Amino acid sequence: MDYKELMNQAVEIRKRAYTPYSGYQVGAALLTKAGTVFCGCNVENAAYSPGICAERTAFVKAVSEGEREFSAIAVIGGKADGPLESAPPCGICRQVMREFCDPDTFEIILGTGPEDYQVYTLSQLLPMSFGPDNLRNQETV
Ligand code: THU
């Protein structure tokens, strides 16, 4: 699976975004180390805070199907009636990535489409992060 194809899948799933409140649509395609792809879109809510981002939709789908090992995620955004845009993941999504992914090797593909993207590591987008290792070997109170 090359990143151009992963980006294509993000573009496709973005069409399913449910965004009656912001009108900003995001698609994400999450690649497992085994080569499977889980796709997600943002799903908004009338009460606002229950809304979920595309990236977390993809992670929740994958983890709930038993996947724990990931190599990359492609993300694409843009207004419903406008061109595709680069959509850097929000802070909460970066932290969710940190839970399951190695910051130095997990790659985040951002850009305006399959022909125009850049590749970042998670540690570039979330430096000095707090993760599962910080809670290992802690005595419980
Ligand atoms: N959104 C995502 O899906 N991913 C991000 O990382 C940034 C924001 C969504 C949430 C909301 O539905 C819309 O974009 C506007 O914030």
Side-chain angles (χ1 to χ4, degrees), residues 18-19 22 24-27 41-44 52-55 75 87-91 93:
Y18 175 74
T19 63
S22 75
Y24 191 83
Q25 306 194 311
V26 185
C41 60
N42 51 334
V43 180
E44 297 184 347
I52 186 168
C53 293
E55 299 93 318
V75 186
C90 79
C93 288

Side-chain angles (χ1 to χ4, degrees), residues 9-10 12-14 16-17 26-32 36-43 52-70 73 96 100:
Q9 296 204 26
E12 280 308 303
I13 196 76
R14 177 179 167 275
R16 300 213 178 126
V26 185
L30 175 62
L31 180 64
T32 69
T36 312
V37 178
F38 289 84
C39 292
C41 60
N42 51 334
V43 180
I52 186 168
C53 293
E55 299 93 318
R56 275 178 288 145
T57 303
F59 268 91
V60 168
K61 284 173 69 177
V63 172
S64 61
E65 292 297 323
E67 296 288 345
R68 293 277 176 89
E69 299 202 325
F70 304 103
I73 190 168
V96 168
F100 297 104

Side-chain angles (χ1 to χ4, degrees), residues 57-139:
T57 303
F59 268 91
V60 168
K61 284 173 69 177
V63 172
S64 61
E65 292 297 323
E67 296 288 345
R68 293 277 176 89
E69 299 202 325
F70 304 103
S71 59
I73 190 168
V75 186
I76 188 97
K79 297 201 177 88
D81 54 0
L84 294 172
E85 289 174 4
S86 179
C90 79
I92 294 173
C93 288
R94 294 177 198 205
Q95 186 65 36
V96 168
M97 292 173 196
R98 177 67 180 87
E99 187 66 25
F100 297 104
C101 307
D102 176 349
D104 294 323
T105 59
F106 183 71
E107 294 187 315
I108 299 159
I109 298 105
L110 303 176
T112 61
E115 308 296 337
D116 170 41
Y117 59 80
Q118 300 80 41
V119 180
Y120 304 89
T121 62
L122 179 55
S123 57
Q124 283 179 294
L125 299 193
L126 190 70
M128 273 188 70
S129 60
F130 187 91
D133 290 349
N134 296 96
L135 296 182
R136 283 223 171 92
N137 303 318
Q138 298 273 328
E139 285 184 34

